[in-house]
Amino acid sequence: MAPAEEIEVGGRTVRVSNPDKPYFAELGIVKRQVVEYFLAVGPGILGALRERPTTLERWPGGVVEGAKLSTRADHTGDAFYQKRLPKGAPDYVESARITFPSGRPADEVCPTELAVVAWAANLGTLTFHPWPVSRPDVDHPDQLRVDLDPQPGTDFADAVAIAHEARDLLRSLDMDAFPKTSGGRGVHLYIPIEPRWTFVEARRALIALARELERRLPERVTVNWWKEERGSRVFIDYNQMARDRTIASAYSIRPTPRALVSAPVTWDELGSVRPEDFSVLTMPARFAEVGDLHAPVADHAYSLEPLLDMVARDERDHSLGDLPYPPEYPKMAGEPKRVQPSKARD
C-alpha cells in the first residue's frame, strides 16, 4: 500500500489514502487519477453540485469484476449510497437537511467548494447524485430532469431522437433543455425551472411532457412504469422527479469497466457522439477545450405553468391522472394501484 498523499484544493489540504489502489483495473486507473479527474473538470462538477444536497455513490473497492451495488433489498454489495453526512467529515464539508418520502429527515452532503468533491472521491465516490433543489429551499425543485431510458431493443440513438422531439415540444412552450449523456445508454435533459412548485407538481409536469411525447410517438416512447408493458421503446422515467430520486450529475463517473462519464453536450453534436466518447481518460481534454456546457443551466428559470396546463388538459379531456410511484414510497394521494398488471386480480 502506497503512503497517503496530500493535495491542495482551493486552499484546503485533502488527504488521499492508498493513492495507487486500482479503481478501474482494466484501464490501469488508480484512485489518485480519479481524484485528479474531478479536479480537471472542477468548475463543471462543482457547478452541477454546488449548494445541492447530494447522495454519494461510493465504490471504495474500485470497479472490479463481480462488484455490485447494495440496494434496499440487498445490503451485501461492495458499493453503497451514502445518504447522510459521514461521521468524521472535515469542517469544510457542509450539509443540507432534506426529508425522505417516509418523513424522516437527514443531513446530506452539500458541496460548496471543490475540496469537498476531492474529499468524497477519496472515499470512493464515483457518481454524485444531487437533488434537483438548492439548499435555501429543499422542497421546491429548480430543475426538471428528463431521463430518457432506452429499453431492450432500443439504444442510445433512439434516446437521442426522442431528446430532439422533446426539445421541439419544449420550445413550443417557450422552454428549453440542456442535454447530456447519462454515461450509459441513455440521455438526460435538464430543464431549469422557477422554484415555485412542489415535487408532486414537478413530477406531474414531467408526466404531462412524457405523455404528450408518447401520444405523438406511440411506437417509440412509453411512460409505462411496469417493464412488462414498455416494449422496445424509450421509457421516460417520470419518477426521477419524485422526492429523493436522483440521477447521476454531469461529469460523474459511472461504475463501468470503461470508466465512462456523464457528459454535457451541445444540441448540434448530440446526434454525432457516442457514450463511449467520454471517459475519465478523455473528458479532461474535452473540458479544457469546451468548458462547462451546462453552466448556462444556472442562467435560466422557466415557468412550469405550460406543462401544468397540459396536466389539467389530460385530466379534463383524457381522464388521465397520476401514475404509480416507486415501491418504497408511501401511498400517495391520487395514485392508481401500485401492482404489476400481470399480477393484478381485477
Side-chain angles (χ1 to χ4, degrees):
M1 182 181 297
E5 297 177 355
E6 292 186 342
I7 57 175
E8 293 297 316
V9 184
R12 308 283 193 188
T13 300
V14 179
R15 183 176 182 271
V16 180
S17 60
N18 196 6
D20 292 333
K21 183 174 185 176
Y23 260 50
F24 294 90
E26 293 182 16
L27 300 176
I29 295 174
V30 298
K31 182 197 275 192
R32 180 193 301 105
Q33 291 170 283
V34 169
V35 176
E36 291 171 346
Y37 161 77
F38 283 121
L39 297 181
V41 298
I45 186 70
L46 188 57
L49 305 179
R50 185 185 283 113
E51 291 287 338
R52 297 187 181 279
T54 300
T55 297
L56 311 178
E57 185 180 327
R58 294 175 56 183
W59 292 77
V63 179
V64 298
E65 185 176 358
K68 63 179 184 178
L69 184 65
S70 290
T71 64
R72 290 181 177 87
D74 180 4
H75 299 281
T76 63
D78 308 274
F80 59 96
Y81 292 107
Q82 179 91 47
K83 290 198 171 188
R84 288 177 168 80
L85 183 70
K87 294 181 179 179
D91 292 342
Y92 60 80
V93 179
E94 300 184 23
S95 65
R97 173 151 290 200
I98 49 85
T99 303
F100 296 125
S102 64
R104 292 180 296 109
D107 294 317
E108 283 208 329
V109 171
C110 185
T112 57
E113 55 183 289
L114 190 55
V116 176
V117 177
W119 162 82
N122 178 60
L123 296 181
T125 302
L126 298 180
T127 310
F128 293 85
H129 296 266
W131 283 45
V133 300
S134 295
R135 179 162 54 171
D137 186 351
V138 296
D139 293 317
H140 296 89
D142 61 4
Q143 293 175 348
L144 196 69
R145 297 172 179 173
V146 185
D147 182 5
L148 303 175
D149 183 9
Q151 299 302 289
T154 63
D155 58 16
F156 179 74
D158 295 291
V160 167
I162 302 309
H164 282 287
E165 295 287 347
R167 191 193 191 198
D168 289 343
L169 174 55
L170 288 167
R171 294 178 82 175
S172 74
L173 301 174
D174 294 323
M175 305 173 73
D176 207 347
F178 297 82
K180 69 182 183 71
T181 66
S182 68
R185 300 171 65 244
V187 173
H188 296 158
L189 305 181
Y190 277 35
I191 307 168
I193 61 174
E194 300 169 356
R196 295 168 45 197
W197 295 275
T198 65
F199 277 97
V200 171
E201 291 168 318
R203 177 178 169 276
R204 287 299 303 273
L206 179 54
I207 289 173
L209 175 70
R211 278 175 166 157
E212 181 59 27
L213 288 169
E214 183 184 51
R215 195 174 289 123
R216 297 181 181 190
L217 303 162
E219 301 301 319
R220 301 169 65 189
V221 175
T222 180
V223 296
N224 288 319
W225 177 245
W226 306 105
K227 291 183 179 180
E228 64 187 37
E229 296 185 322
R230 293 178 189 170
S232 296
R233 293 178 286 181
V234 174
F235 171 53
I236 301 181
D237 189 352
Y238 60 86
N239 270 329
Q240 294 291 18
M241 279 309 299
R243 179 183 290 271
D244 191 35
R245 299 284 281 202
T246 57
I247 60 179
S249 76
Y251 307 102
S252 275
I253 306 170
R254 307 315 301 269
T256 64
R258 294 180 294 178
L260 302 185
V261 304
S262 181
V265 294
T266 67
W267 281 107
D268 287 341
E269 67 181 342
L270 179 59
S272 61
V273 300
R274 298 292 301 170
E276 53 268 25
D277 293 338
F278 311 108
S279 74
V280 168
L281 298 177
T282 63
M283 194 66 189
R286 172 179 166 86
F287 190 87
E289 178 182 355
V290 305
D292 181 16
L293 296 180
H294 266 201
V297 172
D299 299 330
H300 298 79
Y302 299 108
S303 171
L304 272 186
E305 289 176 356
L307 290 174
L308 293 175
D309 288 343
M310 291 169 59
V311 172
R313 182 200 66 188
D314 283 344
E315 291 180 338
R316 181 185 66 247
D317 298 344
H318 304 288
S319 299
L320 294 174
D322 206 348
L323 291 173
Y325 274 79
E328 70 274 12
Y329 274 64
K331 184 67 176 178
M332 303 294 287
E335 181 189 4
K337 62 182 181 180
R338 199 183 300 170
V339 58
Q340 191 171 331
S342 62
K343 297 181 179 179
R345 296 182 179 180
D346 55 4

